Amino acid sequence: MSGIPTVTPDSSRLATATTAGVSPIRVVGLTKRYHSLRGDILAVDAIDLEVRSGEFFGLLGPNGAGKSTTIGMLTTRVAPTAGRAEVAGIDVVADPAAVKAAIGVVPQTNTLDRQLNVFDNLYFHGRYFGMSRRVARERTAELLERFSLADRAKALVQQLSGGMAQRLMFARAIMHRPAVLILDEPTSGIDPQTRVNLWELLTELNDEGQTILLTTHYMEEADRLCNRIAIVDHGHVLALGSPSELKAGLDADTLVTITFADDAAALLPTAEALPGVRRAEAEGRVLRLFARDAEGLLGRVVTLAAGAGASIRDASNEPPTLEAVFLALTGREYRE
Amino acid sequence: MSPRDDHAEVATATSGTPGAAQRGNTGPVWVLGMLLLRDLRVLTRDLGQFILRTVMQPLLFTFVFAYVFPKIGQGIGAVGHAGPSFATILVPGLVAVAINFQGIQAVALPLVQEFSYTKEIEDRILAPVPVWMVGLEKILSGVIQSIVAAAVVFPIVLLVHAKGQAPEVHVASWPLFLVVVLLASFLGASFGLLIGTTFDPRKLPLLFSLIVIPITFLGCIYYPWATLSPIPWLKYAVLVNPLVYMSEGLRAALTPSLPHMPEAAFLSVLSVGTLAMALLALRMFHRRVVD
Ligand SMILES: Nc1ncnc2c1ncn2[C@@H]1O[C@H](COP(=O)(O)OP(=O)(O)O)[C@@H](O)[C@H]1O
Ligand SMILES: [Mg+2]
């Protein structure tokens, strides 16, 4: 594999981190196997993770990668099959109630209390988490103001637009000032404008020192928001690092993608040998070249293809993105 | 380079664990109390609906059986019929039905919605208590609503009747009455938790034809259990119906002059049944909530 920082269990590093203070999230060998009628599914396969205090951490991966299952275990809603997970230093299996007191969660679906109005959704949440009547009222008013929901205080949650419901879920999640804010694909199925607003909110919260763990299948979202990202696929953590570390690990400054009319495999050996190409891959009719300091590479590939009698349908040339990192790690194109 | 790559180190230095400062009142009993307050808020908002839902059935029953029938000289409860007035038979039966169905409805119906595809239940599951306590809170909430239902229904069945058809009701033993009401409420609410946890929401309409109606008609509410003797197979078959013990228990407590089961029988079935039902329901609830 390339120089992308991949993950190996490193107990010495974890040990150092804990002596320096309790990690908001620490996961070692965490595994979840679902038993279903169609056989077992290994949704999460022995992953190791550590989220540092104040960090904005992203779990990035395609649908079915095991993100929600991981979040489920961290929020005590899914029982691990093996391994350990600690949130704020508390074991999720040994003391789920204490873990719940330390986290704020924005789940993937709208889980607002539909029997209560907007104000009461926050107010009662605060009460569940130990707030007095006065404190809960004040904090509710403050958050409704901050999330531009104050004029909807008396509305039922069914009457909220998608964006407003999402904001209310954010407000609920931070109502009790959790040690860790955990969000599972908070922006999937949301219009672009609302998404940008939510990004701003999250960035603001993180700037105030809020530790955040977010899952997403949007590359751009992870790239923009996160200090560090774990790329997950099929229950494994494939790579872990800051977005720039991950991209730097490709050892390439350009990704050339050429789509042919026919299978691309025949051209792979010659393309691989072109100057500046660090690695080449053929997937069906698509040829991808990761290159460094390779001025004019695209032109050379076109000439090469013409010489071999292969006709080109599409060609592009771009700086490496997280998509390219995913490609390099899996050999598969990333599909959102 | 991504714009936010380098914040990590800075943030680590400045932030503590904000959650720690806020805690204090989150003992399990506190959380349970707050969840009950939440249910109370929902209940008082829909108080009119709650009362209508509770009152209609017993009101119509007493009206037809204890007022209309005696007036028109029709069948059961007709004037001149020997023995106790039909109203007397109905009082404990209808109170038992009110308790039982309030418990089932109050717990099962909201729960089915909470478990439906958006999993609204998570809002309460994430409260800082063990999962089984969220289930227990639902039972307690159902118990409270059952007791309120009994208090609403009791005066109705006592007061609605034709002239001369007044039920003969006197509480022979308050402790017995209270114990039966409490056990019946717990049993109904636990049954509600079990139904709400295991019932497929799409099959909800079946709840009434499959469970509610058979239990009501075969629950010894319109007739004391002892009077089933002419149909022995039925007399023993209905013993699987929890409502039978609630009706008979209330009969013993409210209208002791009517035939009723021995105290030891309904008390032991009600208490063992309640415990078993509650444990089973809480177990299923946990299993449904935690994957
Ligand atoms: N309750 C469940 N029972 C059986 N399989 C499940 C369950 N939840 C998730 N899975 C399976 O586990 C895998 C990971 O799912 P999930 O964690 O939801 O992925 P993601 O959130 O990354 O899309 C998928 O193959 C999914 O079908
Ligand atoms: Mg998911």
Side-chain angles (χ1 to χ4, degrees):
Chain A
M1 212 181 273
S2 61
I4 295 168
T6 50
V7 187
T8 45
D10 181 353
S11 49
S12 64
R13 209 190 68 229
L14 293 182
T16 330
T18 37
T19 48
V22 179
S23 300
I25 292 179
R26 210 169 78 94
V27 164
V28 182
L30 194 63
T31 301
K32 179 64 185 183
R33 186 186 292 277
Y34 286 113
H35 305 283
S36 79
L37 294 175
R38 275 169 288 123
D40 285 8
I41 298 166
L42 198 52
V44 174
D45 189 3
I47 64 168
D48 301 296
L49 285 178
E50 191 185 355
V51 177
R52 300 170 192 149
S53 190
E55 191 166 41
F56 200 140
F57 192 95
L59 273 183
L60 171 67
N63 280 327
K67 302 182 297 293
S68 293
T69 304
T70 305
I71 296 298
M73 289 189 277
L74 290 173
T75 57
T76 76
R77 280 229 29 261
V78 175
T81 310
R84 277 173 67 83
E86 282 173 14
V87 178
I90 308 153
D91 188 292
V92 294
V93 175
D95 194 352
V99 168
K100 289 191 271 189
I103 57 177
V105 184
V106 179
Q108 216 172 340
T109 54
N110 178 342
T111 62
L112 293 169
D113 191 334
R114 276 175 276 180
Q115 300 296 317
L116 297 179
N117 66 24
V118 169
F119 185 94
D120 282 346
N121 259 272
L122 295 184
Y123 173 80
F124 277 102
H125 185 86
R127 304 293 322 262
Y128 304 157
F129 284 80
M131 290 182 183
S132 70
R133 240 175 300 171
R134 192 179 55 80
V135 172
R137 266 202 302 264
E138 285 170 6
R139 177 96 174 129
T140 298
E142 173 197 330
L143 287 175
L144 289 179
E145 200 59 52
R146 172 165 189 184
F147 288 84
S148 317
L149 290 164
D151 57 336
R152 295 305 183 112
K154 293 274 176 277
L156 283 177
V157 297
Q158 291 102 310
Q159 298 160 343
L160 298 181
S161 70
M164 287 192 247
Q166 196 71 356
R167 291 206 297 277
L168 185 56
M169 295 225 288
F170 273 58
R172 181 183 62 181
I174 60 167
M175 177 78 188
H176 55 289
R177 303 180 206 280
V180 191
L181 176 60
I182 300 178
L183 309 105
D184 194 8
E185 305 214 19
T187 64
S188 61
I190 265 185
D191 64 276
Q193 181 55 48
T194 309
R195 179 176 303 156
V196 172
N197 291 344
L198 292 176
W199 284 352
E200 277 164 16
L201 273 172
L202 285 173
T203 308
E204 215 173 281
L205 282 171
N206 183 239
D207 288 344
E208 290 164 14
Q210 176 72 59
T211 306
I212 300 178
L213 169 63
L214 164 130
T215 81
T216 182
H217 66 262
Y218 295 118
M219 295 276 179
E220 189 199 348
E221 182 165 277
D223 201 349
R224 289 211 10 191
L225 296 176
C226 298
N227 303 129
R228 286 195 307 149
I229 297 170
I231 297 183
V232 289
D233 191 31
H234 297 309
H236 294 279
V237 177
L238 301 180
L240 198 157
S242 71
S244 51
E245 278 168 358
L246 291 170
K247 289 177 212 162
L250 280 172
D251 191 27
D253 54 20
T254 308
L255 169 61
V256 174
T257 309
I258 304 112
T259 310
F260 293 96
D262 301 305
D263 202 87
L267 282 164
L268 189 61
T270 27
E272 215 162 15
L274 289 171
V277 173
R278 296 300 161 107
R279 118 199 207 114
E281 260 161 28
E283 188 190 8
R285 297 182 296 142
V286 179
L287 179 71
R288 294 190 198 91
L289 307 174
F290 295 89
R292 184 173 202 99
D293 303 324
E295 201 72 30
L297 177 61
L298 188 53
R300 253 170 265 147
V301 180
V302 172
T303 317
L304 188 81
S311 61
I312 292 175
R313 286 291 142 92
D314 189 40
S316 71
N317 191 357
E318 59 197 349
T321 55
L322 286 178
E323 265 98 346
V325 175
F326 185 83
L327 259 168
L329 288 165
T330 63
R332 297 203 319 273
E333 182 156 6
Y334 188 83
R335 289 180 191 90
E336 289 193 337
Chain B
M1 182 181 208
S2 274
R4 301 182 43 74
D5 277 355
D6 294 319
H7 289 339
E9 295 312 311
V10 185
T12 313
T14 51
S15 83
T17 47
Q22 198 58 44
R23 258 174 278 164
N25 286 339
T26 49
V29 178
W30 164 279
V31 182
L32 202 127
M34 291 304 131
L35 287 165
L36 280 171
L37 269 186
R38 177 257 170 213
D39 287 355
L40 199 66
R41 170 71 53 95
V42 174
L43 188 66
T44 49
R45 206 197 56 203
D46 296 334
L47 199 59
Q49 216 189 74
F50 171 83
I51 293 187
L52 270 182
R53 176 174 94 201
T54 310
V55 159
M56 275 321 267
Q57 197 218 27
L59 182 63
L60 285 170
F61 261 109
T62 43
F63 179 68
V64 171
F65 286 114
Y67 181 82
V68 176
F69 275 21
K71 283 276 191 200
I72 63 179
Q74 172 85 43
I76 36 172
V79 183
H81 194 276
S85 75
F86 192 56
T88 309
I89 295 173
L90 275 182
V91 169
L94 289 180
V95 173
V97 174
I99 289 176
N100 191 40
F101 290 118
Q102 194 61 51
I104 293 178
Q105 281 191 33
V107 182
L109 295 187
L111 200 56
V112 166
Q113 190 201 327
E114 287 164 17
F115 271 125
S116 67
Y117 73 108
T118 66
K119 294 245 177 105
E120 180 191 335
I121 186 84
E122 273 197 33
D123 174 72
R124 263 124 288 158
I125 291 300
L126 286 170
V129 277
V131 167
W132 66 267
M133 286 193 72
V134 177
L136 180 64
E137 185 276 334
K138 291 193 170 287
I139 294 180
L140 291 177
S141 175
V143 167
I144 293 169
Q145 295 180 55
S146 288
I147 291 173
V148 174
V152 170
V153 165
F154 195 53
I156 293 175
V157 293
L158 217 51
L159 298 176
V160 177
H161 55 77
K163 201 167 259 168
Q165 294 291 314
E168 296 152 42
V169 171
H170 80 99
V171 180
S173 150
W174 276 101
L176 181 67
F177 176 65
L178 293 178
V179 165
V180 171
V181 167
L182 215 58
L183 284 175
S185 302
F186 262 100
L187 184 53
S190 305
F191 193 35
L193 183 65
L194 185 67
I195 291 174
T197 301
T198 52
F199 228 74
D200 179 348
R202 285 164 305 176
K203 304 218 172 83
L204 202 60
L206 281 180
L207 174 67
F208 284 85
S209 40
L210 227 56
I211 295 178
V212 172
I213 295 177
I215 282 187
T216 310
F217 278 85
L218 302 173
C220 295
I221 63 174
Y222 315 119
Y223 41 82
W225 181 67
T227 60
L228 284 177
S229 293
I231 322 169
W233 66 267
L234 185 64
K235 187 173 178 184
Y236 293 100
V238 297
L239 288 179
V240 299
N241 184 351
L243 188 55
V244 168
Y245 304 93
M246 303 181 192
S247 307
E248 289 290 306
L250 286 174
R251 217 156 258 142
L254 292 175
T255 58
S257 58
L258 291 185
H260 56 79
M261 266 184 199
E263 256 173 53
F266 62 75
L267 280 182
S268 55
V269 173
L270 281 179
S271 44
V272 173
T274 299
L275 192 68
M277 183 72 82
L279 289 178
L280 177 66
L282 289 174
R283 201 188 157 83
M284 298 306 283
F285 183 71
H286 191 280
R287 197 184 285 181
R288 177 89 192 264
V289 167
V290 179
D291 279 334

